[in-house]
Amino acid sequence: MSVYDPIHQINMWGEGFKSNGNLSASIPLIDEVDLKFDSSQSEDASHGILGTSNKYDQEASRPIDKIQRRLAQNREAARKSRLRKKAYVQQLESSRLKLVQLEQELERVRQQGMYMAGGLDSNNMCFAGPMNSGIAAFEMEYGHWVDEQNRQISEMRNALNSHISDIELRILVDGMMNHYAEIYRMKSAAAKADVFYVMSGMWKTTAERFFLWIGGFRPSELLKILGPMIEPLTEQQRLDIDNLGQSCQQAEDALSQGMEKLRQTLADSVAAGQFIEGTYIPQMATAMEKLKALVCFVNQADHLRQETLQQMSRILTIRQSARCLLALGEYFQRLRALSSLWSNRPREPA
C-alpha cells in the first residue's frame, strides 16, 4: 500500500513600486488608504492560504485513516485465521486419539479370539465348507504379520521424528521390505491350498476388499496415493516414478485381460455339453485343469507388487523410502480402521 502526500507549492509574487518626483499633499492620504487596502488584502490572502493548507492536511489524513482501517482488518483476519488453525489442530488431535482407541479396541477383540484384523468380521463371516489346515495356518501367520507391521510402523515413525542416521534408517527400511516379501511368500502357499480364498480377499477387511485386485492392491493406484507423501522430488525422480507407474499400468492391464480370458474360458468349459444329470464330470475335470492358472495369476500379481516396492526404493533416497513405507503401512491401517467403524456403525432397528 502506498501513501501519496500531496505537494503544495505556493509562490508569492510581489512588486515594489517607488514613486519619483514631488507628490501632492493628497498623495499620502491615498497611500495610507492603499496601504490599508493592501494590508486587508494581505490578511485575506493569508487566511486563504491557511484555509487551503488545512484542506490539504485533511485530504492527507484520509490515506492514513485508510491505512489504519486496513491494518485493523488485517489484524482481525489474522486473529480469525489463528482461531481456525487452532480448531483444525484440535480436530486432528481428536481424530488421532480416536484412531489410537480404535486400534486398542481391535487389539483387545483380537486377543479375545475374534480375528478382525485379518478380515473375518463378526458381521461378515461366511464359509463355503470346512477350512483346510493350509488356510488356517495362513490366517494365524497373517495375524502375527499384521502385529509385526504395526510395530514396525510405530518404530519407523519414531525414527523419522528423532532424525536418526541414514545407516540406522536403512536397517529399518530393509526390515520392512523383507516383511512385505514374507507376506507374498505366505500368500503363495495359501493360494496353493485355496486360490479362491486368496483372490476373494476373505483374509482382509471389508474396506481393503473394496480395492482388491487379484488378491491385493493395484501398484499403479498406490503410486498415485504415495506420490504426494514423499515430496519434494527431483525432476529425475518424478520422471522415473511416472515411468514406473506407466509400466505398472501396462502390466496390470495385461494381467486383467488374461484373467478375463481365463474367466470366459472357464465358463465355456463348465457350460460345455448338454445339461443332463450325471454327465458333468468331464466338464469339471477340464475346468479343474484351467483353475490351476489362477495360482499363477496371483503369484504374478504379487510379483508385480513386490517389484514396484523394490523399484521405488531404488528411485528414492533412504529417507524418502522410509516415508514411503510409513505412508504405505498407515494407509492399510486406516483401511482396517474404516472397516471396523463401518462394521460397528449404529444401525436403525429393522
Side-chain angles (χ1 to χ4, degrees), residues 185-203:
R185 182 198 64 78
M186 293 162 48
K187 285 176 61 182
S188 178
K192 293 178 181 178
D194 189 348
V195 67
F196 287 113
Y197 176 85
V198 175
M199 291 195 64
S200 63
M202 289 303 298
W203 50 285

Side-chain angles (χ1 to χ4, degrees), residues 126-138:
C126 69
F127 300 94
M131 185 177 297
N132 61 48
S133 58
I135 295 303
F138 172 75

